[in-house]
Amino acid sequence: MDLSARISAHFRDAIALFEQSQDVLPAPTAAAVDACFHTLTNNGKILACGNGGSAADAQHFVAELVGRFERERLPLAAIALNTDTSILTAVGNDFGFDRVFSQQVNALGQPGDVLLAISTSGNSTNVIQAIAAAQSREMHVIALTGKGGGQIGAMLTETDVHLCVPHDRTLRIQEVHILLLHAICDGIDAQLLGDM
């Protein structure tokens, strides 16, 4: 096995997907920036969730908002719903894992808030239930998916934003997701602070 050739293939595949994504994702990503900016500047907050690597991406995104991205600014209101082990284990134990995010959306979400929901397959049941809860609470939904969008893609409305990476392989989808999250952070900062 030639490991160098295998690793080079990863770079080639990622570059090809980034170029393909560049053709389809800038406009919906700009819509996601606008939704977040409008929420944050109107005393709203962003709730983010996902499982596994997507949970890490949700935490990373929230850290960039509450801390800082590339420039100094006031902290922005955001919460990662996959970080509180007491809530996750209590709700998971008492109601089932499918409700670990929706229970928090129902507790914390207000009309005009944003739910940023990440599921590479578009079929994560607990993320689907969080989206349904957010929609019932008149929140904006930004969904990051791949693999055609799955069930999440089918449930989104015209007021929601769907960032569906045009690929079927999880690691490639996740690589584009992190660029999209960084682009959203950069767009929010640009609207708050002006261009660098």
Side-chain angles (χ1 to χ4, degrees):
M1 176 188 302
D2 185 341
L3 284 177
S4 292
R6 187 177 183 91
I7 292 164
S8 291
H10 279 291
F11 279 102
R12 284 193 304 274
D13 291 349
I15 290 166
L17 177 58
F18 273 73
E19 288 177 343
Q20 185 181 1
S21 297
Q22 182 183 9
D23 294 335
V24 296
L25 292 175
T29 305
V33 171
D34 286 339
C36 290
F37 177 77
H38 182 267
T39 292
L40 293 168
T41 55
N42 285 280
N43 295 315
K45 62 189 166 298
I46 298 171
L47 306 179
C49 65
N51 298 290
S54 298
D57 288 345
Q59 281 181 248
H60 180 161
F61 177 67
V62 167
E64 305 284 23
L65 296 179
V66 174
R68 67 167 179 225
F69 184 55
E70 291 189 305
R71 294 187 273 173
E72 297 297 330
R73 56 151 162 74
L74 292 173
L76 303 174
I79 303 167
L81 302 181
N82 43 262
T83 58
D84 189 320
T85 55
S86 293
I87 291 174
L88 295 174
T89 55
V91 173
N93 183 64
D94 294 346
F95 302 104
F97 190 68
D98 291 349
R99 285 177 55 183
V100 294
F101 301 142
S102 62
Q103 199 81 358
Q104 295 180 78
V105 170
N106 284 321
L108 302 169
Q110 298 294 322
D113 285 348
V114 166
L115 174 69
L116 186 131
I118 310 173
S119 170
T120 57
S121 68
N123 294 317
S124 304
T125 304
N126 55 7
V127 177
I128 289 168
Q129 290 194 15
I131 291 170
Q135 289 171 331
S136 73
R137 298 186 71 76
E138 300 177 18
M139 295 171 61
H140 305 288
V141 175
I142 300 168
L144 281 74
T145 69
K147 303 184 182 184
Q151 296 174 55
I152 289 173
M155 71 186 297
L156 297 175
T157 69
E158 59 191 31
T159 60
D160 299 324
V161 178
H162 191 192
L163 303 177
C164 183
V165 178
H167 209 276
D168 288 328
R169 198 168 175 195
T170 298
L171 79 161
R172 293 285 96 89
I173 295 165
Q174 290 174 332
E175 289 161 359
V176 176
H177 279 178
I178 197 62
L179 182 139
L180 295 173
L181 294 172
H182 281 162
I184 293 169
C185 291
D186 175 71
I188 292 168
D189 279 5
Q191 291 200 23
L192 287 171
L193 306 170
D195 290 335
M196 282 200 323

